[in-house]
Amino acid sequence: WTIDAIGLPAPLLRKIYFDNARRVLARGWPPPELHARHVAKVAFDGRAHDPAWDAAPAQIVELTSDHALARPDLATDVKALWSDEFLQLAFVCPFTQVVTLAGTDRDHERLGLWEGDVVELFIDVDPNRARDANRPDDYFEFELAPNGEKLDVAIAGGKKDFAWSSGFKTAVWVDLPGHVWSAEMRIPWAALGGAPAPRSRLRANVFRCDVMNKAQLALRPTLSNTFHRPDRFATLVLDPD
């Protein structure tokens, strides 16, 4: 007779068959795509309540960046929208306990913000760079913590410019009883050199750090001890209207 799963619960079956396969195949797995819908204008409140978000396809960030181990308990939804002026991302992050740095200061950017809970976007706005191995790995980093502190960095030739400022806007909302925090980033294309053309395919990766659960998650795992692996970025696709 046929024995099928021998009555194991669904979460365990997922781990045995699906999550283990993703971990083993992570190095050769095709880069995931985060599709950004083109919009004219979006309300900005940290909770992604604008109706435009309802039609935006979501990606799930739940794999540890270093070893591609699944953490479904921390599965983080990320969506993207874009206009001629801005790139906008929305995150929904389940948590057990929020951990932020002491001495909150929302008026100034915070070095070391990554030592607490954050969501992060790394993005290279030059769609041609991925096709030219001789071009330097220049990209931008954006971080946002659940207490509203933020940080942006320009990376050129491996050197980080912490003094650079994009002028990006942020909004956060923490639901303590519901154990979820959400966040939005609004990044002006002007600070990145101008808006790319529709259908552009940009190198980008999304990360989340959760201190309490000792988890550093990635949309596409870097399979190393650093997020700064542009060769392991995922793909941000700018869909037309």
Side-chain angles (χ1 to χ4, degrees):
W1 63 91
T2 299
I3 298 178
D4 184 8
I6 57 176
L8 295 175
L12 186 55
L13 290 175
R14 169 193 154 141
K15 183 175 182 179
I16 293 173
Y17 292 110
F18 182 64
D19 292 336
N20 281 339
R22 281 200 298 178
R23 178 179 55 82
V24 171
L25 299 173
R27 193 165 298 279
W29 204 274
E33 295 182 352
L34 176 61
H35 284 258
R37 292 184 63 247
H38 188 267
V39 295
K41 188 177 181 180
V42 185
F44 190 65
D45 63 3
R47 303 173 71 174
H49 276 176
D50 191 286
W53 290 112
D54 296 337
Q59 273 283 11
I60 298 176
V61 180
E62 65 173 1
L63 299 179
T64 60
S65 185
D66 52 358
H67 297 300
L69 298 175
R71 293 296 307 267
D73 55 319
L74 298 174
T76 300
D77 287 350
V78 59
K79 294 182 176 183
L81 299 171
W82 74 288
S83 68
D84 295 340
E85 294 183 83
F86 303 104
L87 171 65
Q88 194 157 317
L89 269 71
F91 305 83
V92 179
C93 313
F95 68 85
T96 53
Q97 181 177 329
V98 169
V99 178
T100 56
L101 303 185
T104 301
D105 184 358
R106 297 185 183 89
D107 296 326
H108 301 88
E109 294 194 345
R110 189 71 175 270
L111 294 181
L113 194 61
W114 55 86
E115 298 294 338
D117 292 350
V118 290
V119 289
E120 304 184 23
L121 169 70
F122 287 27
I123 182 169
D124 177 359
V125 295
D126 186 344
N128 297 314
R129 200 185 317 272
R131 296 191 290 268
D132 188 346
N134 295 318
R135 303 186 73 174
D137 285 323
D138 298 346
Y139 53 99
F140 303 94
E141 174 183 352
F142 300 88
E143 300 186 17
L144 177 57
N147 63 357
E149 292 189 305
K150 63 183 181 179
L151 175 69
D152 56 6
V153 186
I155 296 99
K159 296 182 179 180
K160 300 177 183 179
D161 181 1
F162 290 102
W164 175 79
S165 178
S166 66
F168 81 122
K169 304 298 183 182
T170 62
V172 296
W173 177 74
V174 180
D175 178 5
L176 290 175
H179 288 276
V180 63
W181 68 279
S182 60
E184 292 183 60
M185 297 179 179
R186 177 182 284 172
I187 301 166
W189 289 119
L192 309 183
R199 296 187 175 87
S200 290
R201 300 174 62 84
L202 309 178
R203 295 194 306 168
N205 213 349
V206 177
F207 303 97
R208 179 191 171 192
C209 298
D210 185 288
V211 174
M212 181 56 58
N213 291 285
K214 300 179 179 179
Q216 296 184 323
L217 309 178
L219 176 58
R220 189 186 189 197
T222 65
L223 304 179
S224 66
N225 62 358
T226 178
F227 291 168
H228 291 275
R229 285 285 305 272
D231 60 310
R232 291 288 304 175
F233 281 3
T235 303
L236 175 65
V237 183
L238 303 185
D239 292 333
D241 295 328

